[in-house]
Amino acid sequence: MLQASIAGEGPPLLLVSGLGGTAKFWDASAAALARSCRVIRFDQRGIGASSRGSAPCTIDQLARDCLAVLDAAGLERAALLGHSTGGCIGQALARIAPQRLDGLILSATWLKPSHYMGGLFTSRRAVLLQNPQAYAALSALTAYPPAWIEANWSMFEAAVAAAPMSEEARRVVAERIDALLSFDGSAGIAALTMPVLVLGARDDMIVPSFLQEELAAALPGARKTMFDSGGHFFPISRPDTFTAHVAEWVGAL
């Protein structure tokens, strides 16, 4: 069972978070987006209030979960905003059920695996299994610009406090890492005929800007905005700028 919430009025906008998979990721931006959109957000399978279920955890399965959320909300169509792994899920959904999407926002995401991401996430997975608190600490330290996390140290402390300590929680995170490392959207990218907005940050240490530029280049009709700063979690570190771009783009669909 996937736990979802809906807020606001206007064109429907489905928010899909990344590796962490939580609806809470969008706390910094959901209220602002709900002023002009009907915002749907949810905990992904095995995360937060949502049960794991028995299906294998793949990007395609997570995309089908998005369809289940839209169906439960009674929505035939919506724009989808996917951050990081959520952008991979969005690409998969656009391939599986393009008729359900009014538009696609790919935020801090990528098209296909790279040596950098393979090395980074393989290392993170190893740390996760040996020391989940160190995994959570390193995740937070690499997700934000150093000056921002220094000034907002409670975010670091909260991340460490929420480390996946149980064996089940670590298994869920590990299988999600495996899923994102297995994703390669290059074969289906030409089928993305709906409007697309690519958002990225030039100082992203998790999904480097060259990967976001590669994604945009594979979508010649897409609109692209690269922020000079904000780190990987720029929806949290730069919420006003982020939500302004998203709301303006969705409003113009």
Side-chain angles (χ1 to χ4, degrees), residues 127-128 131-138 156 159-161 163-165:
V127 174
L128 164 72
N131 188 333
Q133 287 182 312
Y135 167 83
L138 291 171
F156 173 86
V160 174
M165 299 303 294

Side-chain angles (χ1 to χ4, degrees), residues 219-239:
L219 293 160
R223 175 173 155 188
K224 179 186 71 173
T225 297
M226 296 294 294
F227 304 125
D228 288 335
S229 63
H232 185 60
F233 280 178
F234 55 81
I236 297 175
S237 64
R238 300 192 63 179

Side-chain angles (χ1 to χ4, degrees), residues 108-109 198-201 204 207-216 226:
T109 192
V198 174
L199 295 176
D204 190 334
V207 182
S209 59
F210 72 84
L211 290 174
Q212 299 169 52
E213 296 279 6
E214 178 186 51
L215 174 62
M226 296 294 294

Side-chain angles (χ1 to χ4, degrees), residues 170-223:
R170 291 195 296 275
R171 178 179 63 81
V172 167
V173 177
E175 69 182 5
R176 291 175 65 83
I177 291 175
D178 292 341
L180 72 86
L181 286 175
S182 298
F183 174 77
D184 184 344
S186 56
I189 197 69
L192 272 64
T193 57
M194 69 286 296
V196 179
L197 171 64
V198 174
L199 295 176
R202 300 192 187 284
D203 62 347
D204 190 334
M205 293 178 59
I206 294 178
V207 182
S209 59
F210 72 84
L211 290 174
Q212 299 169 52
E213 296 279 6
E214 178 186 51
L215 174 62
L219 293 160
R223 175 173 155 188

Side-chain angles (χ1 to χ4, degrees), residues 15-73:
L15 307 183
V16 185
S17 53
L19 176 59
T22 66
K24 185 176 175 58
F25 175 80
W26 302 105
D27 281 355
S29 51
L33 291 173
R35 296 187 193 119
S36 58
C37 300
R38 186 180 184 193
V39 173
I40 307 99
R41 51 180 173 149
F42 67 103
D43 290 334
Q44 295 174 33
R45 61 173 52 236
I47 305 294
S50 293
S51 59
R52 165 64 182 79
S54 58
C57 183
T58 64
I59 296 298
D60 277 9
Q61 179 58 55
L62 296 173
R64 287 189 285 269
D65 288 346
C66 291
L67 290 177
V69 171
L70 292 178
D71 290 343

